[in-house]
Amino acid sequence: MKKTSLSLLIAFLGVNLSVNAQTAVTIDVNTANAKTVISKDIYGHFSEHLGRCIYDGFWVDPALNVPKKDRIRLDIVDALKKIKVPNLRWPGGCFADEYHWRDGIGPREQRPKMVNTNWGGVVEDNSFGTHEFLELCALLECEPYIAGNVGSGTVEEMAKWVEYLNFDGISPMANLRKENGREKPWKVAFWGVGNESWGCGGNMTPEYYADLYKRYATYARDYPGAPLKKIVSGANSWDLNWTEVLMKNIPIRDMWGVSLHYYTLPTGNWSKKGSATVFDEKEYFQTMKNGLAMDSLVRKHSEVMDKYDPQKKVALVVDEWGVWTDVEPGTNPGFLYQQNSMRDALIAGATLNIFNNHAERVKVASLAQTVNVLQALILTEKEKMLLTPTYHVFDLYKVHMDAKLIPLNFKSPDYVVDGDKIPAVNASASIDSNGVVHITLVNLDPKKKISINTALNGLKWSGVTGRIVTSPKFNDYNSFDNPNKIVAAQFKGAKKNGNQLRAELPPLSVVELTLK
């Protein structure tokens, strides 16, 4: 399809079910402005040695009766391949800055055990290490993203890890890799230089960390055919000064990206974050409001970065995000196991729309975490496995990967609770290499339908298909007794009427529309 000028007129009609009032909202879009590519790496994930993410998640007991390669659980691999996971961040998280990579190579029976002091005080047997992680990434057909140890490690330790993974020649580390069964290097590109260096990664000042980063980055070498994408350990949520100091003190040429971490707490209170499934509309509303703050957060950190990097050479890497609730009753508080409801799916859809709309700066993101931890895509219970509502949202949104962003400009109807309000609708759109337009829309309102009337001037299209993730209640979730309560389904609420697209978004819904 020729990328001619396209004017999209999208009218959102907020329907008041009691008095049948309507509010029209107009969006003007022109595909001539679709120039920024939405990096597929925005749809990345994060897997830490934490709780049952690695052990009893990806890496299972040999006796467990599930398909596996070595001890890698293949039904999980197949599920993640379906949503085209682009990258996987490992080994942490806070665990990264107490992890010494040489403990996790060589014969497994000879690997030393350690205590995971950050997460539950359990024994880490190091049976899942560098080779196992990179085998997992090969099975997933995704890019590995490794977080190096700055907090308790050394410059030499990280330098040798890079050499072990990336050098194709004769050297002590390359020879050691070959002795351990891997002839050719993996050529890992994404490298995080520390993690949360303002907190569990060393409780550093930004000035101290910036100097330390430059030392580590100097000795993390670009070997032939294996240039590194070095990612600076960036700010905790609203700490703009941390970003300012890093951008000011570290030369642009010495960093590929700067990270940002932000978690959506339902209550906004770290000491009592709120239940994953037991909450009322007021807490639901507050969760949505806290989640939508990601847009302002990305804007403010991007503004700081723009002062020093107006050409946007440095990526903003949101490599920890998601909903963080209290753990499920009766589970180890250090394992961070939580259920995943329709509320989580809506946060996922809204956040991915935000990242898409900031694609000029946000190039990588990592949902925390992939299996059995925080806002997981997958939950397991021995042989059983279920896909969470969040998983199904990622399945819908994969159409945006490496497509060009179509900027949207509109004012949403309000969703109001106790006099406070947030936008009821958020959206993003893209056009792929075949000229197919994809629009993803989220209706956060738990009671009102949102009607869409879209005029597609200048676009030749023959029809629309759609998919939806929705449920009647915001605290509905998939359980092992009812694993398919919330799934992605065909959306029948959209149709072509002349050259107009008409659709109706149910309450509590994430919808993807494809125009061909």
Side-chain angles (χ1 to χ4, degrees):
M1 180 182 298
K2 187 177 180 181
K3 295 182 182 177
T4 57
S5 176
L6 165 66
S7 177
L8 297 180
L9 174 62
I10 301 181
F12 289 97
L13 304 178
V15 182
N16 185 309
L17 298 183
S18 60
V19 298
N20 200 32
Q22 295 182 337
T23 303
V25 181
T26 300
I27 303 179
D28 291 315
V29 183
N30 192 318
T31 54
N33 296 326
K35 299 175 182 178
T36 301
V37 173
I38 298 172
S39 169
K40 70 180 186 299
D41 289 308
I42 285 173
Y43 293 87
H45 295 279
F46 171 37
S47 292
E48 185 171 4
H49 287 238
L50 194 175
R52 297 192 301 116
C53 186
I54 299 297
Y55 299 102
D56 201 30
F58 282 114
W59 189 249
V60 296
D61 189 302
L64 191 69
N65 186 25
V66 295
K68 44 189 181 295
K69 182 176 182 182
D70 192 355
R71 291 171 57 185
I72 296 173
R73 185 166 176 163
L74 293 180
D75 53 356
I76 290 178
V77 169
D78 290 342
L80 295 177
K81 284 179 68 177
K82 181 177 182 293
I83 61 172
K84 300 181 180 180
V85 170
N87 63 72
L88 189 63
R89 180 172 178 251
W90 174 87
C94 295
F95 183 79
D97 283 294
E98 66 175 350
Y99 182 67
H100 301 282
W101 68 272
R102 295 188 72 162
D103 292 344
I105 61 172
R108 290 177 195 152
E109 66 275 9
Q110 297 178 18
R111 298 180 189 178
K113 294 179 173 61
M114 62 175 284
V115 177
N116 189 333
T117 59
N118 281 289
W119 305 119
V122 296
V123 173
E124 161 68 56
D125 71 1
N126 282 305
S127 61
F128 188 93
T130 295
H131 288 251
E132 291 78 15
F133 170 66
L134 292 166
E135 175 63 19
L136 171 61
C137 290
L139 292 172
L140 291 171
E141 299 175 3
C142 77
E143 289 282 329
Y145 171 9
I146 288 179
N149 184 343
V150 171
S152 68
T154 65
V155 172
E156 179 187 18
E157 182 179 16
M158 187 181 293
K160 287 186 174 180
W161 202 4
V162 175
E163 179 186 331
Y164 186 89
L165 294 180
N166 287 4
F167 182 53
D168 189 8
I170 298 173
S171 75
M173 292 301 101
N175 292 343
L176 180 61
R177 181 190 70 236
K178 294 171 186 177
E179 290 173 13
N180 288 327
R182 175 76 183 194
E183 180 67 25
K184 288 294 182 179
W186 290 277
K187 298 184 178 180
V188 174
F190 288 119
W191 283 84
V193 182
N195 167 78
E196 295 190 356
S197 299
W198 40 263
C200 66
N203 288 304
M204 304 175 195
T205 65
E207 292 81 6
Y208 178 81
Y209 170 74
D211 286 343
L212 196 59
Y213 170 87
K214 288 182 282 189
R215 283 189 61 217
Y216 275 78
T218 297
Y219 295 98
R221 305 291 189 188
D222 287 343
Y223 291 102
L228 301 186
K229 296 178 179 178
K230 301 171 190 175
I231 297 170
V232 180
S233 178
N236 177 24
S237 59
W238 301 99
D239 188 354
L240 300 178
N241 179 63
W242 187 279
T243 301
E244 181 96 34
V245 171
L246 300 185
M247 294 302 298
K248 181 179 179 180
N249 292 3
I250 300 172
I252 299 299
R253 67 177 182 275
D254 292 341
M255 52 181 167
W256 184 87
V258 174
S259 72
L260 172 66
H261 291 181
Y262 177 72
Y263 287 96
T264 297
L265 308 184
T267 66
N269 185 343
W270 279 102
S271 62
K272 186 169 179 56
K273 295 176 281 292
S275 168
T277 57
V278 182
F279 51 89
D280 59 15
E281 185 177 359
K282 185 175 181 179
E283 189 167 311
Y284 163 78
F285 176 89
Q286 190 60 46
T287 307
M288 295 300 109
K289 185 176 182 179
N290 294 343
L292 292 177
M294 178 68 83
D295 184 68
S296 178
L297 193 66
V298 169
R299 287 181 188 277
K300 289 182 181 298
H301 283 281
S302 296
E303 287 170 3
V304 174
M305 296 175 75
D306 288 345
K307 289 168 55 179
Y308 302 92
D309 176 32
Q311 296 181 317
K312 294 179 170 56
K313 294 181 179 180
V314 179
L316 184 59
V317 178
V318 191
D319 55 16
E320 289 190 31
W321 69 271
V323 178
W324 191 328
T325 71
D326 295 333
V327 302
E328 293 303 301
T331 65
N332 187 326
F335 281 13
L336 305 187
Y337 177 81
Q338 65 189 50
Q339 250 296 352
N340 193 292
S341 71
M342 188 63 215
R343 178 179 68 174
D344 297 85
L346 294 162
I347 287 290
T351 303
L352 293 173
N353 280 337
I354 290 168
F355 292 160
N356 288 345
N357 289 324
H358 289 284
E360 78 289 347
R361 182 63 85 176
V362 179
K363 301 297 183 183
V364 177
S366 308
L367 176 70
Q369 292 188 11
T370 322
V371 186
N372 289 330
V373 172
L374 297 175
Q375 191 176 347
L377 298 177
I378 296 170
L379 302 178
T380 66
E381 186 179 88
K382 297 183 179 179
E383 287 83 7
K384 296 179 180 179
M385 183 195 82
L386 68 79
L387 306 176
T388 68
T390 297
Y391 172 93
H392 296 295
V393 170
F394 273 82
D395 193 24
L396 261 60
Y397 276 62
K398 66 188 178 186
V399 295
H400 290 304
M401 290 184 181
D402 288 338
K404 289 185 178 179
L405 176 70
I406 303 174
L408 299 178
N409 181 24
F410 70 99
K411 181 175 174 56
S412 166
D414 291 330
Y415 166 40
V416 182
V417 172
D418 291 343
D420 199 0
K421 62 185 179 180
I422 58 173
V425 173
N426 59 82
S428 64
S430 66
I431 184 166
D432 66 21
S433 59
N434 296 315
V436 177
V437 171
H438 301 282
I439 306 170
T440 48
L441 305 114
V442 178
N443 180 9
L444 301 178
D445 197 306
K447 299 172 183 175
K448 296 179 182 178
K449 298 178 182 179
I450 305 293
S451 296
I452 303 172
N453 182 26
T454 310
L456 302 170
N457 300 318
L459 175 67
K460 294 181 180 180
W461 61 294
S462 59
V464 58
T465 59
R467 300 176 73 203
I468 185 171
V469 175
T470 189
S471 198
K473 299 177 182 178
F474 41 59
N475 52 6
D476 284 342
Y477 61 92
N478 294 339
S479 67
F480 291 104
D481 293 329
N482 188 4
N484 296 315
K485 185 177 183 66
I486 303 172
V487 297
Q490 182 182 1
F491 180 61
K492 299 180 180 180
K495 64 181 181 180
K496 187 175 189 291
N497 184 20
N499 199 44
Q500 289 191 336
L501 168 66
R502 292 184 178 178
E504 188 173 78
L505 306 180
L508 302 173
S509 63
V510 183
V511 172
E512 182 272 319
L513 300 176
T514 296
L515 280 59
K516 296 182 180 179

